[in-house]
């Protein structure tokens, strides 16, 4: 530490590589340079955005370099052909890492497509809804998925938590056996609930895992189709990932209706996601995130433990706060990804003041969804636990100052 301090003083007084607009500081024996703004350094924020969301810093460093020059080839990742050997290696490694991390068995394809999970809401029934499908209604996105399915056939809502503003996960329901598939939304970003187990279904099970994709181990063998947008845990906005069982895709479950080429799953499985130009840069970022999950995190079991630890920090505070209260009372139903909370009735008028207060700590993205209000802390894989501790510190100090 003494060496680093002397080095910094030398650099500062010799005016090497900096001027009065910049300042050095040390953290964990590393030298950081930040731009001064008034009396503060402009630092990386504590990013609680619901999506697009926080990405690992080590991934950001790699993809930013690749944006200028990919592995010394003299071209940016933004400029290479999707038919090139370089991209071939990228997409193939991404697929292999995804299979390895999720322990995906033989007989499944992984495809990269556009349009977000919202396009999957229609693409799924267009391909597989012949007569009737079953849906579990656990939030706004589940409702939107069912709405799209109704364009292609009958939809049976097997259970819903809408009676209590989607603040719990329905239980003790029966999955019908006379349907083409059963659809669930595993994590509900707006209302803060999550299905953490893999159902055993008598019919093909389909899951929208957009917001808890690769946050925990999943028994993929129980699913016929898993899909999700990448922009929560897996990468940036712009690419959607589907994991589809070959037997499902090649079975009598496939409808006999005419399906537009780009909305046909077989188009993408048969062409290795290269029927048209895919989102090259986004897939590159996905590969880097998969590398991070494998080498820096050590796999999905470790990732799950990290996410549980982060959620515990905030939930423990909320369960003992006299000002803030969680919106999901049953702890087992609370999402590890999105923790939603509001202020107790006597303090409702302080919501805006708390949002301003949190900004002083570099906290962004905690305002609740416009449809429900309150607050939402989205704590996806790449969010450090230190950011959660900073949020709790901000809440504690605000509560101490304003408690009646």
């Amino acid at each position: 530490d003494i060496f680093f301090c002397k080095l910094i003083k030398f650099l500062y007084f010799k005016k090497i590589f900096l001027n009065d607009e910049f300042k050095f500081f040390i953290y964990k024996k590393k030298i950081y340079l930040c731009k001064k703004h008034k009396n503060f350094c402009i630092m990386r924020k504590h990013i609680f955005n619901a999506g697009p969301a926080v990405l690992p810093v080590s991934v950001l460093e790699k993809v930013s370099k690749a944006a200028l020059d990919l592995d010394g080839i003299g071209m940016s990742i933004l400029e290479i052909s999707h038919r090139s050997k370089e991209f071939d290696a990228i997409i193939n490694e991404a697929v292999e890492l995804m299979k390895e991390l999720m322990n995906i068995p033989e007989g499944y394809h992984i495809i990269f497509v556009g349009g977000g999970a919202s396009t999957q809401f229609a693409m799924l029934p267009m391909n597989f809804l012949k007569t009737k499908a079953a849906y579990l209604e656990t939030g706004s996105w589940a409702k939107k998925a069912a709405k799209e399915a109704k364009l292609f056939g009958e939809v049976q809502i097997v259970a819903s938590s809408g009676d209590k503003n989607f603040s719990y996960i329905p239980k003790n329901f029966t999955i019908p056996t006379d349907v083409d598939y059963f659809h669930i939304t595993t994590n509900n970003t707006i209302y803060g609930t999550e299905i953490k187990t893999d159902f055993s279904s008598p019919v093909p099970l389909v899951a929208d895992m957009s917001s808890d994709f690769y946050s925990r181990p999943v028994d993929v063998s129980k699913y016929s189709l898993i899909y999700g947008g990448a922009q929560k845990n897996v990468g940036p906005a712009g690419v959607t990932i589907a994991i589809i069982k070959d037997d499902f895709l090649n079975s009598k479950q496939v409808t006999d209706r005419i399906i537009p080429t780009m909305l046909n799953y077989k188009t993408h499985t048969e062409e290795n996601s290269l029927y048209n130009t895919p989102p090259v840069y986004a897939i590159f970022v996905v590969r880097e995130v998969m590398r991070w999950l494998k080498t820096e995190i050590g796999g999905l079991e470790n990732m799950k433990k990290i996410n549980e630890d982060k959620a515990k920090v905030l939930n423990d505070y909320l369960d003992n706060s006299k000002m803030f209260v969680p919106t999901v009372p049953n702890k087992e139903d609370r999402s590890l990804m999105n923790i939603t909370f509001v202020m107790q009735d006597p303090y409702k008028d302080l919501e805006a003041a708390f949002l301003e207060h949190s900004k002083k700590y570099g906290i962004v993205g905690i305002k609740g969804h416009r449809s429900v209000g309150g607050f939402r802390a989205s704590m996806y894989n790449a969010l450090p636990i230190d950011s959660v501790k900073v949020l709790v510190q901000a809440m504690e100090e605000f509560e101490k100052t304003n408690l009646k």
Side-chain angles (χ1 to χ4, degrees):
D1 288 351
I2 293 173
F3 169 77
F4 286 129
C5 286
K6 288 182 177 178
L7 175 60
I8 287 171
K9 287 180 180 178
F10 174 78
L11 290 170
Y12 183 79
F13 288 112
K14 293 294 184 179
K15 303 296 182 184
I16 298 175
F17 303 128
L18 70 154
N19 55 43
D20 290 337
E21 290 185 331
F22 294 87
K23 180 179 178 182
F24 279 107
F25 71 100
I26 301 174
Y27 179 65
K28 293 184 178 179
K29 294 186 178 181
K30 290 184 179 180
I31 302 176
Y32 292 84
L33 181 66
C34 62
K35 189 173 182 180
K36 290 193 291 186
H37 177 66
K38 296 182 180 178
N39 296 321
F40 300 96
C41 276
I42 298 175
M43 304 286 291
R44 182 162 169 80
K45 302 289 187 182
H46 301 288
I47 305 169
F48 291 88
N49 291 337
V54 60
L55 286 167
V57 173
S58 60
V59 169
L60 293 174
E61 290 172 347
K62 291 172 183 175
V63 300
S64 63
K65 289 179 181 177
L68 293 175
D69 185 7
L70 175 65
D71 298 332
I73 66 172
M75 287 187 290
S76 163
I77 180 65
L78 300 169
E79 298 168 322
I80 68 169
S81 167
H82 64 293
R83 306 289 181 189
S84 65
K85 64 178 183 179
E86 288 83 8
F87 185 66
D88 232 20
I90 289 167
I91 193 170
N92 289 335
E93 185 184 354
V95 168
E96 289 308 310
L97 285 170
M98 294 185 80
K99 287 182 176 180
E100 179 184 347
L101 285 162
M102 193 83 88
N103 196 24
I104 298 174
E106 292 295 320
Y108 283 81
H109 270 84
I110 295 177
I111 59 172
F112 300 96
V113 292
S118 295
T119 297
Q120 294 296 305
F121 295 166
M123 191 169 169
L124 164 66
M126 186 180 290
N127 282 259
F128 297 108
L129 203 170
K130 286 186 171 182
T131 56
K132 183 168 65 172
Y135 280 69
L136 185 65
E137 190 179 81
T138 50
S140 295
W141 298 113
K143 287 180 68 175
K144 289 179 179 180
K147 178 185 175 183
E148 294 299 298
K150 289 175 183 177
L151 298 173
F152 301 95
E154 182 182 349
V155 170
Q156 179 180 345
I157 304 298
V158 299
S160 174
S161 52
D163 60 326
K164 293 185 179 179
N165 199 32
F166 301 113
S167 61
Y168 69 97
I169 297 295
K171 298 171 182 65
N172 301 318
F173 55 83
T174 300
I175 302 172
T177 58
D178 62 341
V179 295
D180 298 317
Y181 61 83
F182 175 46
H183 180 281
I184 62 173
T185 304
T186 54
N187 187 74
N188 303 289
T189 56
I190 295 175
Y191 302 96
T193 60
E194 184 177 10
I195 299 169
K196 304 185 185 79
T197 58
D198 302 308
F199 294 147
S200 294
S201 174
V203 296
L205 179 62
V206 177
D208 173 3
M209 291 190 181
S210 291
S211 51
D212 60 352
F213 223 9
Y214 283 81
S215 66
R216 56 184 172 84
V218 170
D219 184 354
V220 176
S221 68
K222 291 190 173 183
Y223 299 84
S224 292
L225 175 61
I226 296 171
Y227 66 86
Q231 68 271 15
K232 316 287 188 177
N233 282 316
V234 183
V239 63
T240 307
I241 301 164
I243 303 170
I244 187 165
K245 191 173 187 177
D246 294 343
D247 288 348
F248 186 47
L249 188 59
N250 298 314
S251 70
K252 295 180 180 179
Q253 295 294 136
V254 180
T255 66
D256 56 7
R257 67 174 57 92
I258 296 174
I259 302 172
T261 303
M262 283 298 292
L263 297 177
N264 191 323
Y265 285 105
K266 286 186 177 180
T267 299
H268 305 287
T269 59
E270 291 173 358
E271 296 293 335
N272 192 32
S273 303
L274 295 173
Y275 175 80
N276 69 325
T277 305
V280 171
Y281 189 58
I283 294 171
F284 174 75
V285 181
V286 169
R287 186 196 69 172
E288 293 305 313
V289 172
M290 293 300 115
R291 284 180 170 182
W292 171 80
L293 275 171
K294 179 180 178 178
T295 60
E296 295 188 42
I297 299 301
L300 295 187
E301 285 287 357
N302 288 350
M303 192 72 258
K304 177 186 176 184
K305 178 62 168 58
I306 291 169
N307 287 329
E308 288 173 340
D309 291 345
K310 289 188 291 187
K312 187 177 187 301
V313 171
L314 182 52
N315 280 323
D316 283 354
Y317 168 73
L318 288 172
D319 289 334
N320 293 284
S321 173
K322 293 180 173 63
M323 177 177 284
F324 300 93
V325 59
T327 61
V328 180
N330 189 343
K331 292 183 181 181
E332 71 178 39
D333 290 343
R334 290 181 190 172
S335 170
L336 298 179
M337 301 288 96
N338 313 94
I339 296 180
T340 53
F341 55 98
V342 294
M343 283 184 163
Q344 301 272 17
D345 287 341
Y347 304 101
K348 289 285 187 185
D349 59 343
L350 294 177
E351 287 190 355
F354 174 67
L355 285 173
E356 283 301 310
H357 171 77
S358 68
K359 292 178 182 177
K360 299 175 184 177
Y361 295 79
I363 295 168
V364 297
I366 61 168
K367 186 176 182 179
H369 190 272
R370 60 187 179 277
S371 64
V372 295
F375 308 97
R376 170 176 56 181
S378 296
M379 304 191 300
Y380 298 119
N381 287 354
L383 183 79
I385 195 169
D386 286 346
S387 290
V388 185
K389 292 177 180 177
V390 169
L391 173 59
V392 169
Q393 180 187 352
M395 295 169 75
E396 287 175 335
E397 293 186 8
F398 188 82
E399 181 170 349
K400 182 179 179 180
T401 302
N402 294 280
L403 196 65
K404 297 176 182 178

